[in-house]
């Protein structure tokens, strides 16, 4: 029993010698081969051999310990011959030999720097490093292989990070209501409102990184355009409202609260809370006395517009939806132009399409006051349609939707300074582009 | 008796000074023809004007007619006539066939009532028509604009007293927002008509709608007020011509 205990202690000691990094022993039974004139590949090969030996010896020791236990067990049984004693002695001898061998191999490995990193600093390594037994017990044939593996691991981490970011973006786009559970990445609405982003024409999409969800976009609109009424509806609710217009429109302008972002449908007086943002399919932008624009989102609750239409502020009827057509020429022309603009926003600026679209729609608040940038007049006879129209084109390609320029345009709508969004008649616009 | 009339009126007429709401209409400007000094209005001018509308791509749509009537009270005792408003005008408009409008120009009151009031007034023998004018002509569509050109004739007569023109912009109904549009349209119109070298021009004098308690959103009551003012201008210019002759 004592022997067994001793052997077990040995076993543990050897294991810890293998797994830890003990200081090299002072006495060496074999000269360290690395200091002689052996080339690094041979050193590496030798180290690999010895590691293999050590593994076999450890296996033998384990088996020997089992046999010893078995012999003891048999010896404890009554009516036994001297067989167990014989076994015991036999096993004892082989165990001692194994342990001795293991000690030897261990020393050799220590000296060759396998159990520690002493060889790393040696210059004559040909770029090869000794196999390393890492503290966690993993054996790495070449240390630089671990480095490579480490690098591979690092790039894998980068790739994973990118993949995660892409996934998060998609998730935020299609499932904005799940954002409440997320943290970081600027999804906190309060922090977004206080961000002050510089106005960079080239980085439009980055500037709008804080308007990722539908409610963010709409809140942003509300803040920037105080005279605009933004309302959101589920699809069926919008049809009901459209049919009830314009009878309610006049009452609305007098009695409706300024911020009816959270739903003012006359038929649904209950407030829409943020939880139902995922069902919002229609956004109504109403500039009193100027126009009403209807934007449809698909899928509901997302920030992906799929159609837009303009109507007179006094129009009403079930034909008033985002794919409908106004009875008035001016709004029909704007709707046509808006459809083209929408395709542009979806194609070029797909991440911020809704935000760009809504801002571009707001540039039409000067529809009946802003003269054409080309001919300087408000009304002009359009040759193609033989209609007298105001400037129905607003450029969308060069639209800069940073907060800086939009506040400028609000203040300058009255004086129609150069900061105001440009406007063109149909004929004047095609000449320009 | 006047107390009774007031009661009847108040029941029939939805008059509430705190609720000047009626159905919003597209906004409209009414112009009248002002002949140059020494010339009069005639049907040739009317033809030229109609042709001019068609030259700017106006599409003739149909006829229109509005009426304007000066009322005087039927009193046994004529001495009481001073208690009654000086100009009591009733107007019918083609876009509101079920309505009748009353304007008291010097009191700055405009009312919208049901068109059956005319029958009631006749039955009650309360007010009698003193002078009645018809405004009639053709209607033209120019995209989002609608033009009406009409002659002014006394009822039961073919004597042309004047020419009026209505310019209506259909998409919006805010007076303030449409101001520029209407002015520019009139510039376009002026460019077109000046080529015909007609002896006169169209004039629009915007009444002060807020005096009548009317808001920025255009309604037929605004139109009624405009017709009242246009008529008084016409009468003044006709009288000026007559005094000029004399």
């Amino acid at each position: 029993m004592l022997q067994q205990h001793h052997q077990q202690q040995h076993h543990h000691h050897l294991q810890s010698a293998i797994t830890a990094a003990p200081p090299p022993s002072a006495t060496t039974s074999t000269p360290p081969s690395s200091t002689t004139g052996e080339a690094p590949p041979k050193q590496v090969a030798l180290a690999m051999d010895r590691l293999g030996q050590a593994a076999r010896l450890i296996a033998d020791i384990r088996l020997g310990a089992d046999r010893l236990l078995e012999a003891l067990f048999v010896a404890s049984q009554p009516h036994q011959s001297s067989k167990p004693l014989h076994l015991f002695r036999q096993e004892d001898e082989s165990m001692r030999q194994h342990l001795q061998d293991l000690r030897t191999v261990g020393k050799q490995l220590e000296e060759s720097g396998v159990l520690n990193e002493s060889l790393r600093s040696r210059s004559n390594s040909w770029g090869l490093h000794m196999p390393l037994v890492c503290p966690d017990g993993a054996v790495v044939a070449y240390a630089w292989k671990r480095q490579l593996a480490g690098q591979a691991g690092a790039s894998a981490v980068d790739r994973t990070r990118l993949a995660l970011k892409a996934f998060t973006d998609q998730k935020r786009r299609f499932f904005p209501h799940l954002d409440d559970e997320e943290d970081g990445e600027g999804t906190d609405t309060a922090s977004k409102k206080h961000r002050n982003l510089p106005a960079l024409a080239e980085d439009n999409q980055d500037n709008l990184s804080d308007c990722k969800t539908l409610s963010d976009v709409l809140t942003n609109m509300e803040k920037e355009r105080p005279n605009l009424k933004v309302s959101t509806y589920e699809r069926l609710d919008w049809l009901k409202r459209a049919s009830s217009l314009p009878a309610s429109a006049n009452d609305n302008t007098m009695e409706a609260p300024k911020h009816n972002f959270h739903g003012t449908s006359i038929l649904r007086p209950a407030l829409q809370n943020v939880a139902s943002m995922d069902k919002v399919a229609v956004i109504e932008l109403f500039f009193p006395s100027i126009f009403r624009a209807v934007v449809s989102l698909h899928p509901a609750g997302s920030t992906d517009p799929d159609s837009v239409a303009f109507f007179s502020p006094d129009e009403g009827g079930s034909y008033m939806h985002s794919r409908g057509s106004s009875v008035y020429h001016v709004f029909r022309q704007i709707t046509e132009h808006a459809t083209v603009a929408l395709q542009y926003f979806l194609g070029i600026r797909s991440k911020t399409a809704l935000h760009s679209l809504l801002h571009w729609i707001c540039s039409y608040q000067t529809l009946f006051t802003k003269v054409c940038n080309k001919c300087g007049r408000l009304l002009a006879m359009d040759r193609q349609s033989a209609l007298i129209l105001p400037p129905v084109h607003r450029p969308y390609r060069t639209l800069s939707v940073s907060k800086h320029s939009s506040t400028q345009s609000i203040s300058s709508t009255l004086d129609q300074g150069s900061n105001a969004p440009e406007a063109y008649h149909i004929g004047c616009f095609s000449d320009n582009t | 008796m006047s107390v009774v009339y007031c009661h009847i009126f108040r029941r029939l007429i939805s008059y509430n000074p705190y609720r000047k709401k009626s159905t919003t209409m597209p906004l409209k400007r009414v112009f009248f023809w002002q002949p140059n000094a020494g010339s009069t209005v005639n049907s040739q001018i009317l033809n030229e004007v109609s042709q001019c509308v068609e030259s700017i791509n106006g599409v003739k749509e149909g006829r229109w007619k509005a009426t304007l009537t000066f009322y005087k009270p039927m009193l046994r005792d004529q001495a009481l006539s001073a208690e009654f408003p000086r100009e009591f005008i009733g107007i019918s408009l083609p876009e509101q066939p079920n309505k009748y409008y009353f304007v008291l120009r010097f009191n700055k009151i405009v009312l919208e009532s049901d068109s059956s009031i005319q029958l009631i007034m006749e039955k009650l023998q309360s007010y009698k028509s003193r002078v009645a004018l018809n405004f009639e002509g053709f209607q033209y569509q120019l995209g989002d604009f609608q033009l009406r050109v009409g002659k002014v004739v006394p009822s039961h007569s073919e004597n042309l007293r004047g020419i009026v023109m209505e310019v209506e912009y259909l998409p919006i109904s805010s007076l303030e927002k449409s101001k520029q549009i209407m002015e520019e349209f009139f510039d376009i119109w002026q460019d077109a008509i000046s080529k015909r070298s007609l002896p006169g021009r169209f004039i629009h004098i915007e009444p002060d709608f807020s005096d009548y308690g009317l808001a920025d959103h255009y309604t037929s009551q605004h139109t009624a007020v405009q017709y009242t003012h246009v008529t008084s201008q016409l009468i003044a210019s006709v009288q000026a011509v007559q005094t000029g002759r004399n």
Side-chain angles (χ1 to χ4, degrees), chain B residues 66-78:
Chain B
T67 67
L68 189 145
T69 310
F70 287 89
Y71 289 101
K72 66 172 185 184
M74 303 272 285
L75 301 166
R76 303 239 178 91
D77 183 1
Q78 287 300 315

Side-chain angles (χ1 to χ4, degrees), chain B residues 205-217:
Chain B
I205 300 173
E206 182 104 331
D208 194 347
F209 291 115
S210 54
D211 277 352
Y212 287 86
L214 296 174
D216 180 63
H217 274 276

Side-chain angles (χ1 to χ4, degrees), chain B residues 102-113:
Chain B
F102 291 110
V103 179
L104 301 174
R105 194 157 74 93
F106 291 97
N107 302 73
K108 303 291 183 204
I109 293 174
V110 56
L111 305 175
E112 180 182 272
S113 77

Side-chain angles (χ1 to χ4, degrees), chain A residues 250-251 254-255 288-290 312-314 328-331 368-369 377-379 381 386-390 416, chain B residues 21-24 26 56-57 142-145 169-174 177-178 180-181 184-185 187-188 216-217:
Chain A
N250 287 339
D251 296 334
M254 311 249 204
E255 296 147 22
S289 307
I290 308 179
S312 158
D314 311 315
Y328 303 110
H329 295 275
V330 56
F331 294 115
F368 299 115
T369 49
R377 304 196 55 82
L378 184 59
L379 287 179
M381 172 74 76
L387 299 170
I388 297 176
L389 292 168
Q416 295 180 8
Chain B
K21 269 188 226 181
S22 76
T23 321
T24 312
I56 55 171
N57 302 326
L142 284 88
D144 292 329
F145 287 91
Y169 188 57
L170 301 169
I172 52 176
S173 58
S174 159
K177 298 274 190 308
S178 61
Q180 255 176 287
I181 291 262
E184 281 228 4
F185 182 84
D187 290 340
I188 294 174
D216 180 63
H217 274 276

Side-chain angles (χ1 to χ4, degrees), chain B residues 50-92:
Chain B
S50 306
Q51 282 173 25
C52 188
V53 173
E54 285 172 1
S55 76
I56 55 171
N57 302 326
V59 176
K60 192 185 267 193
E61 279 195 336
R63 290 179 177 274
W64 68 280
K65 180 176 171 184
T67 67
L68 189 145
T69 310
F70 287 89
Y71 289 101
K72 66 172 185 184
M74 303 272 285
L75 301 166
R76 303 239 178 91
D77 183 1
Q78 287 300 315
L80 289 169
S81 63
E83 290 178 25
F84 287 79
R86 260 174 54 195
E87 272 192 20
F88 179 38
I89 293 166
I91 297 167
S92 78

Side-chain angles (χ1 to χ4, degrees), chain A residues 288-301:
Chain A
S289 307
I290 308 179
F291 70 86
R292 192 190 304 269
V294 183
V295 178
S296 153
L297 301 170
H298 185 74

Side-chain angles (χ1 to χ4, degrees), chain A residues 112-124:
Chain A
S112 58
V114 173
L115 297 181
N116 54 30
E117 292 191 25
S118 62
L119 207 64
R120 269 181 187 262
S121 55
R122 295 192 198 182
S123 56
N124 184 23

